């Protein structure tokens, strides 16, 4: 499915419409490969960069952040961290509404959407694959955001992409500080 995502992501141009359509076509191709499997799927976070801008796309609990190094350290760290993705879990009200409308059940003790027929629970409310979950409101609809890259950003910025294994344990600022520490050590 991952190969299908990459092979089918072919934006016709750097326009927002073409990039959105390319992300959706790639996700549809991945869904097609997984349609026979009830419990095979994944969340995603992806970046597509062009001159002067980048697009961030995500589904589920894989997230992206744009990090611009500060000239002077702040009380938070040495960088400004801007989210460029959305978390899609049962803690987000609009995700809950969609799940409820489809008859899904939220299991707050286990932190996910409950598939009533067999007792399985899924944390993310958006993903590709996991076909059984489509009946209870889990969708393969990415959040996509266009972001500018300035001339100043080119020398002082980077993008962080991580799954829930990282993003549920550390704050984006903590992750940025670790990356900056690693970059500083590699230069010395």
């Amino acid at each position: 499915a991952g190969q299908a995502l990459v092979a089918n992501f072919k934006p016709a141009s750097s326009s927002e419409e073409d990039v959105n359509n390319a992300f959706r076509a790639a996700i549809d191709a991945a869904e097609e490969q997984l349609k026979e499997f009830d419990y095979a799927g994944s969340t995603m976070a992806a970046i597509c960069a062009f001159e002067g801008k980048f697009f961030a796309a995500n589904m589920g609990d894989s997230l992206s952040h744009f990090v611009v190094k500060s000239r002077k350290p702040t009380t938070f760290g040495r960088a400004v961290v801007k989210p460029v993705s959305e978390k899609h879990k049962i803690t987000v009200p609009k995700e809950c509404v969609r799940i409820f409308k489809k008859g899904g059940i939220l299991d707050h003790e286990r932190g996910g959407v409950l598939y009533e027929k067999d007792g399985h629970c899924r944390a993310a409310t958006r993903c590709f694959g996991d076909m059984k979950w489509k009946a209870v409101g889990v969708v393969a609809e990415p959040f996509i955001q266009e972001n500018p890259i300035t001339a100043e950003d080119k020398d002082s910025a980077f993008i962080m992409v991580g799954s829930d294994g990282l993003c549920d344990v550390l704050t984006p600022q903590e992750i940025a500080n670790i990356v900056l520490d690693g970059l500083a050590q590699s230069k010395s």
Side-chain angles (χ1 to χ4, degrees), residues 69 155 182-188:
K69 291 185 260 180
D155 296 328
L183 291 171
Q185 287 177 4
S186 70
K187 290 182 181 179
S188 57

Side-chain angles (χ1 to χ4, degrees), residues 5-142:
L5 275 172
V6 173
N8 289 283
F9 181 74
K10 299 176 182 173
S13 74
S14 64
S15 77
E16 185 174 8
E17 181 180 2
D18 284 346
V19 172
N20 286 349
N21 289 339
F23 273 123
R24 286 188 171 78
I27 289 164
D28 288 347
E31 287 259 284
E32 182 65 26
Q33 283 197 341
L34 294 169
K35 71 180 179 183
E36 296 175 31
F37 304 98
D38 290 339
Y39 296 111
S42 182
T43 64
M44 68 155 235
I47 303 294
C48 176
F50 295 96
E51 185 64 36
K53 64 183 172 181
F54 71 94
F55 292 86
N58 82 297
M59 291 188 297
D61 48 14
S62 295
L63 302 172
S64 302
H65 293 83
F66 186 58
V67 181
V68 179
K69 291 185 260 180
S70 300
R71 294 191 202 295
K72 297 177 185 177
T74 68
T75 56
F76 299 109
R78 298 176 311 276
V80 175
V81 181
K82 174 188 170 196
V84 292
S85 56
E86 287 183 347
K87 191 175 272 193
H88 304 124
K89 294 181 93 163
I90 65 167
T91 54
V92 179
K94 71 179 179 179
E95 297 296 303
C96 293
V97 169
R98 186 185 64 254
I99 299 297
F100 280 135
K101 283 183 178 178
K102 284 290 210 166
I105 299 168
L106 303 178
D107 185 337
H108 290 280
E109 282 185 28
R110 292 166 63 190
V113 179
L114 182 65
Y115 189 74
E116 189 175 28
K117 293 179 183 172
D118 59 16
H120 284 94
C121 192
R122 179 169 220 318
T125 56
R126 297 187 192 198
C127 68
F128 61 87
D130 281 343
M131 296 310 183
K132 245 184 186 177
W133 297 100
K134 304 306 183 200
V136 294
V138 175
V139 295
E141 296 172 10

